[in-house]
Amino acid sequence: MAAEKDKKDMLSGLGEAEHWEPLGPSMKVLVNQNHRFNTDTILLAHFSMPGRGELCADFGTGCGTIPLLWCGRSNPQKVWGVELQEDAAGLAEKSIQFNNLQLKIEILQNDIKNRQALRQAMEPGSLHRIACNPPYTPEGKGGTCPEGSRLLARHQVACSFSDIAREAAFFLRWGGKFCCCQRPEHLASVIASLQREGLEPKRLRFVQQRREKAPFLFLLEASRGGNPGMRVLPVLFVEDSNGGLSQEMLDIYGSYKSQ
């Protein structure tokens, strides 16, 4: 009864511009106007889904959507969500409490480049899997966003993709997987950054809105210490021929779309 009352209090006691978004029949994530999730987040969570008992991390976890989806749809042993921004980390913490996942998910409010702080929680060379939905725009490119939190989320100001690849290699075990999503125009530089750190690209999948459109996203998995050789998977189409969600997208969304 006390737990149910706590949930009701969390549902009603929201901060400014905060609201709960469903992730499934009994799972919710707290978001606000600056920290929320989108289709890219859902696709990366699905593409990087961990196996049972794995030790995992989500770099730049934001409001914590990927760790929540991992724990809702699989059974990792432990997930660390690393997030630089205090307000985003606070949203993730509340979502973890609401979903009673305190024993499964731990939020580390810190810079992914701060190894000394992070290694107190995550042992170097121990993780089976790391995911990252990185800022898509290199620093100094494209338009800038007025709000600081959106600037950090969209532009590589706090860290570059090379920084992400280096820290992922440091915390992954031999054979561990690093998964990311990015815009297709950055594919060459992403692969180069990963290979410099000993992360060999193994699985690549492009995402298109519909058949007549060019891909707007790719999903990539690299293996620490893997042998050369990358498998290109069939294109994932967001829409079917009638303009609705494709069957595969409906399967990936699962019960989320029915909430």
Side-chain angles (χ1 to χ4, degrees), residues 61-121:
T61 196
C63 57
T65 304
I66 287 178
L68 290 169
L69 286 170
W70 281 352
C71 290
R73 300 182 182 185
S74 183
N75 189 22
Q77 179 181 335
K78 180 81 174 186
V79 179
W80 289 275
V82 184
E83 175 53 48
L84 177 63
Q85 300 185 70
E86 185 177 0
D87 54 342
L91 293 172
E93 290 280 11
K94 291 177 183 177
S95 294
I96 291 166
Q97 293 173 26
F98 178 85
N99 293 288
N100 297 317
L101 288 169
Q102 298 94 322
L103 297 180
K104 285 278 190 180
I105 304 174
E106 180 180 353
I107 300 300
L108 306 176
Q109 199 259 301
N110 219 308
D111 191 328
I112 66 164
K113 303 192 297 292
N114 190 349
R115 288 183 180 180
Q116 293 306 311
L118 297 184
R119 67 188 302 168
Q120 296 177 30

Side-chain angles (χ1 to χ4, degrees), residues 193-245:
S193 294
L194 293 171
Q195 289 180 323
R196 277 196 301 269
E197 303 301 333
L199 297 170
E200 187 63 33
K202 302 300 292 181
R203 282 198 305 143
L204 172 66
R205 191 169 198 190
F206 291 101
V207 183
Q208 291 177 213
Q209 192 67 29
R210 58 185 74 92
R211 291 187 181 276
E212 65 271 20
K213 294 287 187 178
F216 68 88
L217 188 76
F218 69 81
L219 300 156
L220 182 65
E221 177 188 272
S223 176
R224 183 181 175 218
N227 294 322
M230 182 173 68
R231 185 161 54 105
V232 180
L233 304 175
V235 171
L236 195 166
F237 293 101
V238 174
E239 295 181 8
D240 62 18
S241 58
N242 297 317
L245 283 177

Side-chain angles (χ1 to χ4, degrees), residues 9-209:
D9 290 343
M10 293 181 75
L11 284 170
S12 58
L14 301 181
E16 185 178 357
E18 292 180 353
H19 68 277
W20 292 96
E21 284 282 346
L23 292 177
S26 59
M27 180 172 283
K28 298 180 185 294
V29 60
L30 186 61
V31 302
N32 63 20
Q33 59 186 359
N34 293 324
H35 304 291
R36 49 186 182 264
F37 66 95
N38 57 20
T39 298
D40 297 3
T41 315
I42 302 293
L43 292 176
L44 179 58
H46 179 265
F47 183 79
S48 62
M49 191 63 61
R52 182 181 180 87
E54 288 191 353
L55 300 174
C56 309
D58 180 30
F59 283 180
T61 196
C63 57
T65 304
I66 287 178
L68 290 169
L69 286 170
W70 281 352
C71 290
R73 300 182 182 185
S74 183
N75 189 22
Q77 179 181 335
K78 180 81 174 186
V79 179
W80 289 275
V82 184
E83 175 53 48
L84 177 63
Q85 300 185 70
E86 185 177 0
D87 54 342
L91 293 172
E93 290 280 11
K94 291 177 183 177
S95 294
I96 291 166
Q97 293 173 26
F98 178 85
N99 293 288
N100 297 317
L101 288 169
Q102 298 94 322
L103 297 180
K104 285 278 190 180
I105 304 174
E106 180 180 353
I107 300 300
L108 306 176
Q109 199 259 301
N110 219 308
D111 191 328
I112 66 164
K113 303 192 297 292
N114 190 349
R115 288 183 180 180
Q116 293 306 311
L118 297 184
R119 67 188 302 168
Q120 296 177 30
M122 305 184 300
E123 183 179 347
S126 69
L127 300 188
H128 296 86
R129 190 174 305 269
I130 295 174
C132 183
N133 183 351
Y136 289 156
T137 309
E139 186 176 6
K141 302 290 185 180
T144 58
C145 305
E147 297 98 344
S149 58
R150 290 188 179 182
L151 181 64
L152 289 175
R154 297 180 185 178
H155 295 253
Q156 295 174 17
V157 175
C159 67
S160 66
F161 189 84
S162 293
D163 294 328
I164 295 167
R166 183 179 62 251
E167 299 312 311
F170 180 73
F171 284 103
L172 281 171
R173 63 172 54 198
W174 199 256
K177 311 299 184 187
F178 172 75
C179 299
C180 67
C181 57
Q182 219 347 328
R183 297 299 181 224
E185 58 264 32
H186 301 307
L187 177 59
S189 62
V190 164
I191 288 177
S193 294
L194 293 171
Q195 289 180 323
R196 277 196 301 269
E197 303 301 333
L199 297 170
E200 187 63 33
K202 302 300 292 181
R203 282 198 305 143
L204 172 66
R205 191 169 198 190
F206 291 101
V207 183
Q208 291 177 213
Q209 192 67 29

